[in-house]
Amino acid sequence: MSDTTMTKPKARRGFGFYVRIYRKILVQDLKSKMSYRADFVISTIGMIMTNLSGFVTFLILFKNFPSINGWDYYHMLFLYGFSLIALTPVQCFFDNNWNLRFQVQSGDFIKYCFRPINVFFYFMSEVFDVKGLGQLAFGIGTLVYAWVHIGIPVTPLVIAKLVLFLLTASLFMIAIMNAAAATCFWIVGSGYVMVIMFRFKDFAKYPSNIFHGVFRILFTFVIPIAFVAYYPSLAILESENVPVLTWCAPALGVLFFYLSYKFWMLGVSKYDFTGS
Amino acid sequence: MKKHTFRKHKLEGTDKMENAIVMKNVCKDFKILNRHEGLKGSIRDLFSRDYKTISAVKDVSLEIARGEIIGYLGPNGAGKSTTIKMMTGVLEPTSGEIMVNGLVPYKERTKNSERIGVVFGQRSQLWWSLPLIESFRLLRDIYMVPKKDYEEMLELYRSLVDIEPILHKPVRQMSLGQRTLSDILAAFLHNPAIVFLDEPTIGLDVSMKAKIRSLIQGLNAEKNTTVILTTHDMGDVDALCKRIVIIDEGKKIYDNDIEHLKSYFGSYRTLRIRHADDTWEERVIDETKEDVMDVIMKKQKEQKIKDIQLQEISTEEVIKKIYENSAASKESAAVSDVAEKKEEATV
């Protein structure tokens, strides 16, 4: 009889619960992805090519300008590697944002509202993009290469700072993409918003002190691209004169992420789910 | 103080036992922006507060007892989905009250969703790339189903349908029928008190339809699960539902059992006449208005009749009549008449 469900103890779903669920989905997902080998190989090659072409552009640029605003080749390379690593989480874990507008428009999105778990989590957990891992490897390689040439000492403190500020940087990019994707709950042309935001990430590879006036304020506080690599990386590159914004970055990162999450969920609650 | 709260709790408890769903005067309005044409128009739309209100559900009251299978019918755009979305907590009603398993669904969406299951025909809610058994395991974890209950449920599934061929197959490789079957099994997995099935047999072949109907029947009988079934397939209704609720233009226009339905709009029969050239002519005849014999005689004067058949009206025909009637009454604004008839029918 149905009595069993009625006396069920009050279920609690904490952080540990979500980590466990995510791990299980991830393992299953990877297993099934491995079984489509051709798809896996081709998308990996595609990712390597994309990164290589970005890298070549970068080299050509530096052949012509030996330094940008006082940043030499290796520092720029450091920034480049840093940004690649920082962009990995958004690529790997939050890639389903790109499908959001299709699911919202077709009405398929409703299925995420029927489970007793967080809608945002459930939606994001559905896609893990393996291609991000190639980018990660590329980023780590570039970063280590630049690191050695600049001669930054390797101490536990520096490593801890690196990890903290990489996480901070990725939070900003995740926040930007969440907010951009969530616009689809209100407007039809949200695809453009996402593409533009995703293009903006290319600016993250340059020191944001090359921007002036309005753009600097725009890329710092409105669309916080400057936080995706520039400010966090200064914590490692500069031994003194670290800007205040760098130290504020972790807290700001959490704040931006939280706001983007709230915006995303607001979209869900305002969405009419019209059509059957 | 303590005693008081205990009693209150008990009262709620008994209410839960009797009714799975209670709706009182529920309305749902949507605000829709009046869009203007052209570039100028769309710029104006950006700042416009020019909304029009569309009421999708108008003053619907409904009580559904535990263990019932209800056929929830209505023409396209009648407000069926909107009602279901309110029951599942996705939408908040504009006015009125809804209680599902003793909870207000939109206020406690998460809690509510632990005790309901939902299947939208053609829209799989399973993990696309995973074999079914892995989806089951994930759902078991998400709903925190005890291991014993989970095993028992799988045993029950095995006794009702042959699940072995689909259990280890990824959902993306399944046929539509297998996928629907899987979705239904997944919806029942955490033993919910209510399962919403939205057109579960759409696009399926006859044998799959039969399989799915007997599965739903079996699960309902075994687990006493309340089933809310929306469908356009009268075969589903005939096979599963004792009671049907019909909604049109957001209003409840019928709520009673199926037997009642057939005598609802007078006594209808289907008359089939076979002409000399072996073609069959079909006519639905209202016996309160014309006599079947008169019709046959009149026909016979016009041409030679080889054969006649007189059939009970099918559910499909009755539903069609009700939809047409509802549309006609709207036009003539003689709504009160139908409302009175409805009163009679519901008593």
Side-chain angles (χ1 to χ4, degrees):
Chain A
M1 288 298 284
S2 60
D3 299 22
T4 47
T5 52
M6 260 172 236
T7 52
K8 208 158 72 174
K10 207 181 163 200
R12 291 189 56 207
R13 295 182 170 87
F15 186 69
F17 169 84
Y18 282 108
V19 171
R20 235 173 17 250
I21 296 283
Y22 196 91
R23 208 197 64 226
K24 284 183 183 174
I25 295 176
L26 187 63
V27 169
Q28 289 305 325
D29 190 52
L30 287 179
K31 253 198 241 167
S32 81
K33 277 203 179 97
M34 297 301 179
S35 61
Y36 292 87
R37 202 178 294 162
D39 189 72
F40 185 77
V41 169
I42 289 169
S43 58
T44 309
I45 291 173
M47 197 65 196
I48 291 171
M49 294 311 256
T50 316
N51 279 309
L52 269 181
S53 72
F55 195 64
V56 168
T57 318
F58 179 83
L59 286 182
I60 292 170
L61 196 75
F62 251 87
K63 272 261 149 39
N64 298 311
F65 307 95
S67 86
I68 292 181
N69 243 22
W71 285 61
D72 68 7
Y73 176 69
Y74 291 112
H75 280 78
M76 285 294 292
L77 212 54
F78 185 92
L79 198 58
Y80 187 70
F82 192 94
S83 76
L84 282 187
I85 301 172
L87 291 173
T88 304
V90 77
Q91 181 88 36
C92 283
F93 302 112
F94 296 87
D95 205 45
N96 214 14
N97 263 331
W98 289 97
N99 300 324
L100 183 65
R101 65 180 192 280
F102 301 114
Q103 302 217 11
V104 163
Q105 272 159 31
S106 68
D108 284 346
F109 184 77
I110 197 172
K111 73 172 192 179
Y112 300 102
C113 303
F114 296 139
R115 302 252 185 256
I117 51 173
N118 181 286
V119 178
F120 181 75
F121 169 83
Y122 183 25
F123 180 77
M124 294 304 169
S125 72
E126 261 199 349
V127 172
F128 175 84
D129 188 13
V130 202
K131 292 198 292 295
L133 294 178
Q135 181 176 317
L136 180 68
F138 211 83
I140 290 174
T142 314
L143 190 80
V144 168
Y145 178 75
W147 186 297
V148 171
H149 278 267
I150 298 169
I152 304 166
V154 184
T155 65
L157 180 69
V158 177
I159 297 297
K161 270 204 292 192
L162 179 71
V163 172
L164 173 69
F165 282 95
L166 275 173
L167 284 175
T168 301
S170 39
L171 277 180
F172 280 101
M173 194 60 205
I174 295 165
I176 291 170
M177 293 317 280
N178 281 345
T183 56
C184 74
F185 289 111
W186 289 277
I187 58 172
V188 180
S190 66
Y192 299 111
V193 179
M194 284 204 79
V195 170
I196 289 167
M197 290 302 158
F198 198 64
R199 289 251 175 271
F200 274 153
K201 82 177 193 309
D202 294 338
F203 295 134
K205 292 166 190 151
Y206 304 100
S208 73
N209 58 5
I210 63 168
F211 301 112
H212 292 284
V214 182
F215 282 104
R216 191 151 181 187
I217 291 169
L218 179 75
F219 288 145
T220 308
F221 297 109
V222 185
I223 307 160
I225 293 291
F227 284 101
V228 178
Y230 177 69
Y231 284 116
S233 68
L234 286 183
I236 316 293
L237 288 175
E238 299 275 334
S239 45
E240 48 212 62
N241 293 335
V242 179
V244 183
L245 280 177
T246 299
W247 299 120
C248 295
L252 281 176
V254 172
L255 178 72
F256 266 92
F257 176 79
Y258 179 75
L259 289 177
S260 75
Y261 163 76
K262 280 286 165 192
F263 180 62
W264 204 96
M265 292 298 271
L266 180 75
V268 176
S269 68
K270 286 278 175 270
Y271 179 51
D272 273 349
F273 299 102
T274 36
S276 48
Chain B
M1 194 68 201
K2 231 177 187 174
K3 209 172 181 180
H4 176 72
T5 48
F6 172 73
R7 279 183 65 132
K8 198 180 160 213
H9 188 78
K10 202 176 174 189
L11 210 73
E12 277 173 8
T14 49
D15 189 46
K16 269 187 208 171
M17 288 304 288
E18 281 160 9
N19 281 315
I21 297 175
V22 179
M23 286 174 75
K24 277 187 199 140
N25 311 99
V26 172
C27 301
K28 177 70 191 173
D29 299 337
F30 289 108
K31 264 189 185 169
I32 290 176
L33 187 68
N34 278 320
R35 295 202 180 271
H36 299 91
E37 275 179 28
L39 181 64
K40 231 172 136 186
S42 31
I43 291 168
R44 224 168 85 198
D45 284 346
L46 272 178
F47 308 100
S48 162
R49 286 280 159 271
D50 178 19
Y51 290 107
K52 70 170 172 240
T53 308
I54 289 181
S55 11
V57 174
K58 295 169 197 157
D59 199 26
V60 170
S61 298
L62 199 60
E63 278 183 17
I64 296 170
R66 201 157 292 288
E68 261 190 298
I69 302 184
I70 295 270
Y72 194 52
L73 315 177
N76 292 323
K80 297 190 300 282
S81 302
T82 308
T83 323
I84 303 278
K85 282 166 193 167
M86 287 193 281
M87 289 172 176
T88 51
V90 176
L91 289 180
E92 183 181 343
T94 309
S95 64
E97 280 174 49
I98 304 188
M99 293 288 261
V100 174
N101 295 319
L103 296 171
V104 179
Y106 63 92
K107 279 190 186 151
E108 296 180 90
R109 188 194 62 79
T110 311
K111 220 172 152 195
N112 184 46
S113 59
E114 288 195 39
R115 308 219 29 228
I116 61 170
V118 184
V119 175
F120 273 115
Q122 293 195 312
R123 272 181 198 166
S124 182
Q125 294 176 53
L126 299 167
W127 284 266
W128 206 237
S129 54
L130 303 192
L132 183 60
I133 186 75
E134 298 299 344
S135 277
F136 279 179
R137 283 181 189 143
L138 279 171
L139 288 173
R140 182 190 69 193
D141 291 340
I142 285 174
Y143 287 94
M144 302 200 236
V145 182
K147 210 176 170 75
K148 193 174 131 271
D149 295 2
Y150 172 77
E151 297 296 338
E152 273 173 20
M153 194 54 100
L154 279 193
E155 265 324 299
L156 176 64
Y157 287 174
R158 285 199 180 90
S159 71
L160 292 170
V161 273
D162 184 18
I163 57 171
E164 294 309 327
I166 54 171
L167 215 46
H168 298 281
K169 205 172 180 184
V171 177
R172 63 145 61 96
Q173 287 172 15
M174 288 183 184
S175 69
L176 179 62
Q178 291 175 326
R179 223 158 62 206
T180 312
L181 199 66
S182 304
D183 261 306
I184 291 172
L185 294 174
F188 277 90
L189 195 70
H190 56 289
N191 192 15
I194 308 169
V195 169
F196 297 90
L197 300 172
D198 189 22
E199 307 212 31
T201 59
I202 192 165
L204 304 184
D205 67 56
V206 191
S207 93
M208 201 63 195
K209 272 184 187 173
K211 214 187 236 178
I212 279 177
R213 283 168 193 159
S214 78
L215 173 69
I216 295 169
Q217 212 151 32
L219 288 167
N220 164 264
E222 202 62 44
K223 293 287 173 187
N224 197 32
T225 317
T226 310
V227 177
I228 316 290
L229 173 78
T230 31
T231 184
H232 290 295
D233 187 325
M234 291 311 135
D236 291 348
V237 176
D238 282 326
L240 294 170
C241 312
K242 279 200 192 75
R243 174 180 164 199
I244 61 172
V245 173
I246 304 175
I247 180 171
D248 191 17
E249 298 249 320
K251 283 198 193 116
K252 192 171 86 171
I253 58 169
Y254 183 87
D255 180 357
N256 210 326
D257 54 28
I258 250 184
E259 268 72 55
H260 232 94
L261 186 71
K262 301 204 173 176
S263 57
Y264 178 38
F265 277 103
S267 43
Y268 285 96
R269 291 214 175 158
T270 309
L271 172 68
R272 303 183 79 222
I273 296 172
R274 193 173 168 199
H275 298 304
D277 55 353
D278 273 346
T279 53
W280 284 96
E281 187 195 336
E282 224 178 86
R283 259 185 82 170
V284 178
I285 291 172
D286 182 355
E287 286 188 310
T288 54
K289 285 186 187 139
E290 52 186 346
D291 193 62
V292 179
M293 286 316 286
D294 287 347
V295 177
I296 297 169
M297 242 115 80
K298 221 185 278 169
K299 278 268 166 203
Q300 211 165 20
K301 278 174 200 158
E302 291 164 20
Q303 63 199 109
K304 194 172 178 284
I305 293 177
K306 269 174 97 173
D307 195 4
I308 52 165
Q309 278 180 4
L310 204 52
Q311 292 172 339
E312 279 296 314
I313 188 164
S314 68
T315 315
E316 182 128 16
E317 285 289 346
V318 182
I319 298 288
K320 204 175 120 205
K321 279 267 172 245
I322 291 181
Y323 290 177
E324 281 166 6
N325 232 341
S326 156
S329 70
K330 259 175 312 217
E331 275 159 32
S332 62
V335 189
S336 58
D337 179 46
V338 177
E340 261 174 42
K341 261 190 176 174
K342 185 179 74 186
E343 288 299 294
E344 277 171 38
T346 26
V347 170

